[in-house]
Amino acid sequence: AGARDEAREDLRSASARLVDAEHHVRAKEKELADLLAAYQELGLESARVSATAKQLEREVHFHQVESSTAVEELRMTKEVVVRVESENRRYVADLQAFELQVDSLSRD
């Protein structure tokens, strides 16, 4: 009877340890599932960030090209302005010379 009681006590003790171990395993499995979900979410977020970064790089490149084009157009416009100002100075000089000739002819 004593051995049987001792065996029953050992069985109860082992059953309690088994229940504890099963709870511990389920807790670890949940922790693992949570970690896996977190890593998957981080992977998705990383992909989104990477896609956004690539889009921003494309936009920066587009704006750099646009800016270079605008700079070139400005340079060409400045050249035209310089050329037109030079022509205007020649026209003014020609007009002044013409006015002097007219003045000179009208005095004669």
Side-chain angles (χ1 to χ4, degrees), residues 84-100:
V84 168
E85 286 176 342
S86 177
E87 288 175 7
N88 284 345
R89 284 193 293 277
R90 281 197 312 273
Y91 291 147
V92 167
D94 290 349
L95 181 60
Q96 288 172 343
F98 178 74
E99 287 174 345
L100 285 175

Side-chain angles (χ1 to χ4, degrees), residues 41-54:
E41 183 58 35
L42 285 174
L44 292 173
E45 181 65 20
S46 175
R48 284 190 294 266
V49 167
S50 179
T52 299
K54 287 178 183 175

Side-chain angles (χ1 to χ4, degrees), residues 25-36:
V25 166
R26 280 197 288 285
K28 288 296 180 181
E29 285 174 344
K30 183 180 179 334
E31 184 180 336
L32 181 61
D34 290 347
L35 283 173
L36 181 60

Side-chain angles (χ1 to χ4, degrees), residues 68-104:
S68 295
T69 301
V71 167
E72 181 60 20
E73 288 174 357
L74 180 61
R75 185 192 63 75
M76 291 170 52
T77 301
K78 285 180 179 179
E79 288 178 3
V80 169
V81 167
V82 167
R83 192 171 52 248
V84 168
E85 286 176 342
S86 177
E87 288 175 7
N88 284 345
R89 284 193 293 277
R90 281 197 312 273
Y91 291 147
V92 167
D94 290 349
L95 181 60
Q96 288 172 343
F98 178 74
E99 287 174 345
L100 285 175
Q101 284 180 339
V102 169
D103 226 21
S104 170

Side-chain angles (χ1 to χ4, degrees), residues 7-18:
R8 282 185 187 151
E9 186 56 39
D10 287 346
L11 180 60
R12 276 190 217 115
S13 178
S15 292
R17 285 194 311 273
L18 177 61

